[in-house]
Amino acid sequence: MPHDTASARATSWRDWLSMACRFGLALVWIISGATKITEPVATKQSVAAYELFSQNVSDLIATVLPPVEIALGVLILLGIALRWLGGLSALIFLGFIAGIASAWARGLTIDCGCFGAGGYNEDVTWWTYASEILRDTIFVAMAVITARRPWTKLAVWP
């Protein structure tokens, strides 16, 4: 009997973690996309500041990214294709980490623009980059948990 209680507690703990990751991930995407979509010029400047793409490609990314982020957030919130969208989210966050690391390695001083206006910023330090990478690493972990063990209660199509 004690084994059943321990098993139930473990399942409960995992359910809570999975639920927190699913809804936290949805919130991150919705907030990130909403802050970008309301400031399209600042979003274009943020993407261009990474100096990774031509101006046309940067503008396209800045235009497409906010509605994609909002859509990801809403779909995850609704519980649609959680495993697939969790995996996609992890890949996108890994791309963001690569972009931030690239800017840091190339000596750029930019704010990532992850939650609104970013771009060139003289006040950026090593800690700015490190904390952005750490934050996005936590988001990757949330996405992986959502993909591997999605909390499917209140899900439309898990």
Side-chain angles (χ1 to χ4, degrees):
M1 197 77 162
H3 178 70
D4 291 335
T5 305
S7 177
R9 274 189 296 224
T11 300
S12 176
W13 178 82
R14 288 184 192 120
D15 286 343
W16 277 105
L17 178 63
S18 180
M19 179 185 67
C21 288
R22 173 183 158 192
F23 290 119
L25 188 61
L27 191 61
V28 165
W29 282 131
I30 292 168
I31 291 171
S32 176
T35 57
K36 289 180 185 112
I37 209 164
T38 59
E39 299 182 40
V41 173
T43 300
K44 287 179 180 180
Q45 291 171 342
S46 296
V47 175
Y50 282 90
E51 299 177 7
L52 292 171
F53 308 103
S54 69
Q55 189 63 48
N56 289 338
V57 173
S58 289
D59 287 349
L60 177 64
I61 291 169
T63 302
V64 171
L65 188 59
V68 167
E69 289 179 340
I70 293 169
L72 277 170
V74 169
L75 292 171
I76 291 169
L77 184 65
L78 292 174
I80 297 174
L82 290 170
R83 289 185 186 277
W84 191 83
L85 292 177
L88 178 61
S89 294
L91 289 174
I92 293 170
F93 283 122
L94 288 171
F96 291 165
I97 290 169
I100 294 166
S102 169
W104 188 6
R106 291 179 291 132
L108 300 178
T109 53
I110 63 171
D111 183 325
C112 75
C114 301
F115 291 94
Y120 298 102
N121 181 345
E122 294 176 8
D123 297 328
V124 169
T125 66
W126 70 270
W127 176 246
T128 307
Y129 291 115
S131 63
E132 289 168 350
I133 290 170
L134 177 61
R135 178 205 57 218
D136 284 358
T137 301
I138 292 168
F139 294 159
V140 169
M142 291 168 59
V144 168
I145 290 168
T146 299
R148 296 215 29 172
R149 193 177 193 285
W151 190 74
T152 57
K153 292 180 180 145
L154 305 177
V156 173
W157 180 53

